[in-house]
Amino acid sequence: MTTKAEWQRIPLIVSFPETAKYTETYGFAGNSGRVNLEGQLLRGAGAPSKTVYVFMHPTSTLQLLPMPTALADAGLHVLCAASRYPKNDTALIMEKVAIDLGKWLDYARGELGYEKVVLVGWSGGGSLSLFYQAQAENPTITHTPAGDEVNLVEVGLKPADGVIFIAAHLSRAETLTEWLDPSVLDELDPDLRDPEFDIYSPDCPHQPPYSAEFIQRFRAAQVARNRKITHWALDMLAELKRRGSFEQERAFVVHRTMCDVRWFDGTIDPNDRPIGKSYMGDPRTVNVGPVGLARFTTLRSWLSQWSYDLSNAKGPMNAALIKRSPVLQIENNADEAVPATHNPTIRAALATENKEYMTIPHATHYYLGQPELLKACIDRVIDWSRRQGLLS
């Protein structure tokens, strides 16, 4: 049983030298030769703990969300850690985010003095946590998909003592691919579309419920579009390198990235999710709006975080590399941001034998207006932590 505790927010800064040859951050951070990370420690005044729960999302800051604050309400110590790309994933490199997370874990154990560190991978932080833990247990990556050196073998990532995967999707690359609008025929002209796959158009010949044959072709067209962009990005990087000029990178727009047959057909991968809604609102509006996954990106960032074939941060691939760590996985069954197939896929891929799975019926992505369901989640986290020896 959890009880609400009084706690405080303590601002934190972690700073370390930037060794990468190519800098994609801007302003003071990009010019100082250092990486500067900001975070908040949520902890009770006069309530010591040997364990800290670390949240990191590749691009979001999480200190105001229900999950971290509910853990703090329950008396736990929570570190909400930002990467070097807070609220801006335009040029984000996942391999560098893994380094940032490692620096936070070192800081938690060293400067803050915690004996146990638990990674809480919420939403997009889920695949990040799996990526980090896989590379901490068995580091193999020395370069990004673009060929830039970001050496996770030599950086010395240290495994967390446990991982919680909650309300989380497979990865940014795989989720984007399942939401890419396959009707787009010309990346420079979003109005040029294939009417057969333009499911948001009233003139589309396919309407819900969709046939299995159409869904299969729709999914294949989504993957094909992702690969088309990937091939273009690789070719453009090679061309820039061939020119040998000052131009090393290029930004571009990816149109229509919120299109999924699941949004309007509840018979596909059924769960408790609302039909006709996405976590950002009406998917038909989000699909063509200025805010969306990968809407603004760069060649290197596309390859690292969005490429279906080349991203190193894909969830199932990394789950299969985690063999020693305890993992708690919590699926929210009405999650409007995480497709219903994603959590079972991670569950099947996890190599560790010490894994537990919990489904919370009717729970949404943010638990808005669902205090009882949020409490059920927090209670399970605490119970699991104690049974794993992570919390006294």
Side-chain angles (χ1 to χ4, degrees):
M1 181 69 66
T2 59
T3 56
K4 190 164 185 176
E6 294 295 326
W7 51 270
Q8 56 189 179
R9 296 180 182 272
I10 302 173
L12 302 173
I13 296 176
V14 170
S15 182
F16 56 94
E18 171 63 286
T19 59
K21 294 180 180 179
Y22 185 84
T23 302
E24 67 288 324
T25 53
Y26 59 91
F28 174 74
N31 284 276
S32 66
R34 300 187 67 82
V35 177
N36 303 303
L37 310 175
E38 298 183 43
Q40 288 189 9
L41 179 64
L42 317 182
R43 72 177 185 190
S49 176
K50 297 180 180 180
T51 302
V52 65
Y53 294 79
V54 178
F55 286 75
M56 180 187 273
H57 186 284
T59 182
S60 296
T61 55
L62 305 177
Q63 59 266 15
L64 299 178
L65 294 183
M67 179 71 181
T69 55
L71 285 173
D73 285 342
L76 279 60
H77 288 208
V78 179
L79 172 55
C80 293
S83 76
R84 71 186 74 187
Y85 310 101
K87 301 180 181 180
N88 187 350
D89 63 3
T90 303
L92 185 147
I93 304 297
M94 289 298 301
E95 291 77 12
K96 293 185 178 182
V97 177
I99 290 176
D100 296 348
L101 183 50
K103 294 296 184 180
W104 277 114
L105 265 61
D106 290 345
Y107 184 83
R109 290 177 169 129
E111 297 296 322
L112 300 180
Y114 289 103
E115 296 178 11
K116 301 288 185 180
V117 176
V118 179
L119 279 182
V120 187
W122 179 86
S123 192
S127 57
L128 169 61
S129 297
L130 297 179
F131 178 40
Y132 175 88
Q133 196 73 352
Q135 285 299 304
E137 286 194 10
N138 182 30
T140 58
I141 294 172
T142 58
H143 292 77
T144 72
D148 299 315
E149 183 176 358
V150 178
N151 199 319
L152 302 187
V153 176
E154 295 182 355
V155 76
L157 304 179
K158 299 177 182 63
D161 298 288
V163 177
I164 299 173
F165 186 91
I166 177 169
H169 51 69
L170 290 180
S171 70
R172 294 169 82 73
E174 290 154 302
T175 301
L176 170 71
T177 304
E178 293 184 10
W179 292 352
L180 272 178
D181 189 334
S183 73
V184 174
L185 296 174
D186 185 342
E187 294 299 330
L188 299 179
D189 183 1
D191 288 331
L192 185 61
R193 301 191 297 278
D194 183 341
E196 182 177 13
F197 293 129
D198 193 8
I199 61 172
Y200 294 160
S201 169
D203 298 326
C204 180
H206 304 279
Q207 297 294 328
Y210 302 107
S211 70
E213 183 270 341
F214 173 71
I215 295 169
Q216 183 178 21
R217 289 192 295 113
F218 187 92
R219 294 298 187 207
Q222 290 178 306
V223 173
R225 185 183 173 202
N226 186 295
R227 286 174 172 160
K228 180 181 178 181
I229 298 172
T230 294
H231 293 156
W232 172 80
L234 288 170
D235 289 345
M236 182 54 63
L237 276 174
E239 172 62 18
L240 295 179
K241 184 177 181 180
R242 185 195 65 79
R243 294 176 186 175
S245 72
F246 55 85
E247 187 178 7
Q248 301 179 53
E249 181 60 289
R250 181 165 294 184
F252 61 98
V253 174
V254 183
H255 297 282
R256 297 180 177 263
T257 61
M258 184 61 80
C259 186
D260 191 340
V261 287
R262 284 177 291 218
W263 295 126
F264 291 94
D265 188 346
T267 67
I268 304 172
D269 306 324
N271 62 2
D272 298 329
R273 70 184 184 275
I275 300 302
K277 279 186 60 178
S278 75
Y279 76 109
M280 290 192 289
D282 188 328
R284 295 168 297 189
T285 299
V286 179
N287 192 45
V288 295
V291 178
L293 295 187
R295 183 69 79 245
F296 305 100
T297 189
T298 66
L299 302 173
R300 286 175 168 82
S301 185
W302 173 271
L303 298 175
S304 179
Q305 66 171 327
W306 302 120
S307 173
Y308 183 79
D309 292 318
L310 299 184
S311 175
N312 287 316
K314 294 170 70 173
M317 175 178 68
N318 288 304
L321 299 176
I322 298 175
K323 300 179 179 179
R324 301 191 297 271
S325 309
V327 177
L328 171 63
Q329 190 178 355
I330 299 177
E331 176 186 9
N332 290 355
N333 205 44
D335 199 323
E336 64 275 38
V338 178
T341 57
H342 285 206
N343 273 277
T345 300
I346 294 296
R347 181 184 190 180
L350 278 167
T352 180
E353 295 183 359
N354 189 350
K355 56 183 177 180
E356 294 186 18
Y357 193 96
M358 177 187 187
T359 299
I360 305 179
H362 309 296
T364 60
H365 195 59
Y366 295 104
Y367 298 100
L368 289 176
Q370 298 180 320
E372 307 87 358
L373 302 183
L374 177 59
K375 180 180 180 301
C377 173
I378 300 301
D379 287 348
R380 182 59 175 268
V381 167
I382 293 173
D383 174 67
W384 174 82
S385 299
R386 285 175 174 160
R387 287 187 285 105
Q388 294 293 338
L390 298 172
L391 191 66
S392 56

